[in-house]
């Protein structure tokens, strides 16, 4: 029996035979590979306005595609641990699963920073996908299928109250961009997205992806359609940290027009490239929205796999 299988059967107390743990082990491996692939699909998607891709490094002087590939490889092993932690927490109330996920998340962040020489490539992605895999572990242990609505509902249950707990302490000084932006503008960022059960991913990203697919677009165009729709709607704290709320308004206006063209439009790519050049000139980068594109791809692929 593999180490992971043994760990799962010990943690869950479910049978010791390979057959008892095998489904958990295979699902843990499948999902962690899917997250790794989602991180690579996202960074390779091109053109992404202001972001690192195969066209340029966006509004970043400290990272490129190779930085993201090294970061993804460094954090990929943690996603099995997030899943396993969810399995082990299946009999606890959902919010009690968060502390162990956060402990693993901080170790994964340290691995990311070691792999990138201190550059923040995937902090938000570790948080989002860590919650998603923890939720998947909990559902799997309960024998539930990993349907998008159920999985996002479990994420919302784990993250319930996180914004108030993390950000509402009036006397605390803000130590991160997200905390400062919440205090200043009430924008909830990655925490709010998680607490909503990835509502922006489901209602904007996946909706645009499926609409483009129904019009015959290939996967890359579907993802770019999702990107345009997300840029038009997402309250991205990276954008706000660099350019204030007016930066978000500018990006939303431009992205709305591009999304309205439709992914098969002859000038769709050219308009995204023009917005890329404009955001680079303004030193604006919607890093949070990039994570939501990765999550969109992850859920779309999971739906098609029938896991
Ligand atoms: C809850 C945490 C995310 C804490 O982070 P923070 O307090 O900073 O909160 P936010 O700023 O709200 O979010 C941080 C990152 O989350 C992404 N993000 C931003 N807005 C959204 C949104 N609306 N929806 C979803 N996700 C969002 C974003 O991450 C991505 O961008 C980063 C790379 O871009 P870049 O511009 O380079 O970012 P910086 O280097 O910071 O800026 P510059 O200096 O270059 O200008 C990268 O992180 C992407 O992933 C935000 O950056 C969570 O991290 C946390 O609590 N961590 C502790 C451990 C833990 O809980 N881990 C896992 C638990 S399962
Ligand atoms: N491709 C990308 N470029 C810049 N920031 C990001 N954060 C996540 N993905 C990113």
């Amino acid at each position: 029996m593999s180490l992971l299988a043994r760990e799962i059967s010990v943690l869950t107390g479910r049978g010791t035979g390979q057959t008892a743990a095998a489904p958990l082990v295979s699902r843990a491996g499948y999902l962690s590979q899917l997250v790794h692939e989602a991180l690579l699909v996202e960074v390779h998607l091109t053109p992404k306005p202001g972001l690192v891709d195969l066209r340029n490094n966006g509004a970043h002087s400290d990272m490129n595609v190779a930085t993201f590939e090294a970061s993804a490889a460094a954090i990929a092993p943690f996603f099995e641990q997030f899943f396993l932690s969810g399995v082990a927490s299946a009999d606890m109330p959902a919010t009690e699963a968060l502390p162990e996920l956060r402990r693993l998340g901080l170790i994964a962040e340290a691995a990311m920073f070691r792999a990138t020489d201190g550059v923040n490539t995937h902090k938000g992605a570790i948080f989002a996908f860590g919650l998603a895999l923890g939720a998947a572990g909990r559902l799997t242990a309960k024998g539930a299928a990993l349907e998008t609505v159920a999985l996002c509902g479990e994420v919302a249950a784990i993250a319930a109250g996180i914004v108030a707990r993390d950000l509402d302490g009036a006397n605390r000084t803000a130590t991160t961009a997200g905390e400062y932006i919440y205090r200043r503008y009430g924008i909830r960022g990655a925490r709010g997205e998680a607490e909503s059960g990835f509502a922006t991913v489901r209602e904007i990203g996946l909706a645009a992806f499926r609409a483009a697919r129904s019009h015959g677009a290939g996967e890359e165009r579907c993802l770019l359609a999702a990107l345009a729709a997300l840029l038009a709607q997402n309250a991205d704290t990276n954008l706000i940290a660099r350019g204030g709320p007016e930066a978000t308004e500018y990006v939303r206006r431009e992205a709305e027009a591009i999304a309205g063209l439709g992914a098969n439009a002859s000038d769709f790519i050219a308009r995204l490239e023009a917005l890329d050049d404009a955001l680079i000139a303004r030193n604006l980068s919607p890093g949070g929205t990039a994570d939501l594109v990765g999550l969109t791809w992850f859920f779309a692929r999971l739906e098609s796999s029938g896991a």
Side-chain angles (χ1 to χ4, degrees), residues 148 152 188-210 226-236 252 288-289 291-293 295-296 299:
T148 299
C152 290
R188 294 151 44 94
R191 292 178 180 83
E193 181 65 13
E195 196 166 357
S196 75
F198 298 142
T200 310
V201 174
R202 286 183 286 113
E203 295 164 13
I204 307 298
L206 276 170
F209 183 94
R210 292 174 185 136
L227 172 63
L230 287 164
L231 285 170
Q233 302 268 350
N234 185 37
D236 191 314
R252 283 181 169 174
T289 306
D291 288 348
L292 301 191
V293 171
L295 285 162
T296 298
F299 284 111

Side-chain angles (χ1 to χ4, degrees), residues 212 215 217 221 225 228 256-269:
H215 288 99
R221 284 293 178 107
E256 186 71 48
I258 295 170
L261 294 173
N264 290 324
S266 59
D267 57 343
F268 182 71
I269 297 297

Side-chain angles (χ1 to χ4, degrees), residues 60 62-63 82 101-102 105-106 109 120-127 130-131 166 176-179 188-191 193 234-238 242 285 287-288 291-292:
H60 297 274
D62 58 354
M63 54 193 193
F82 285 120
L101 290 172
R102 280 207 126 143
L106 286 167
E109 277 183 28
N120 170 22
T121 43
H122 288 125
K123 181 181 173 188
I126 290 168
F127 176 70
L131 286 170
D166 281 14
T176 66
E179 289 169 17
R188 294 151 44 94
R191 292 178 180 83
E193 181 65 13
N234 185 37
D236 191 314
T237 61
N238 298 81
R242 288 195 183 198
S285 174
D291 288 348
L292 301 191

Side-chain angles (χ1 to χ4, degrees), residues 2-17:
S2 75
L3 178 61
L4 183 60
R6 188 176 303 117
E7 212 174 349
I8 287 175
S9 60
V10 166
L11 278 168
T12 59
R14 284 180 170 76
T16 52

Side-chain angles (χ1 to χ4, degrees), residues 42-68 227 242 269-281 283-286:
E42 180 278 304
V43 73
H44 295 149
L45 183 67
T46 301
K48 294 193 303 288
L51 295 163
V52 171
D53 60 23
L54 300 175
R55 181 173 187 251
N56 56 45
N57 297 336
H60 297 274
S61 57
D62 58 354
M63 54 193 193
N64 56 29
V65 168
T67 319
F68 277 87
L227 172 63
R242 288 195 183 198
I269 297 297
R271 291 286 295 276
L272 281 172
E273 289 173 343
L275 184 56
D276 187 24
D277 296 340
L279 293 200
I280 291 169
N283 192 36
L284 295 176
S285 174

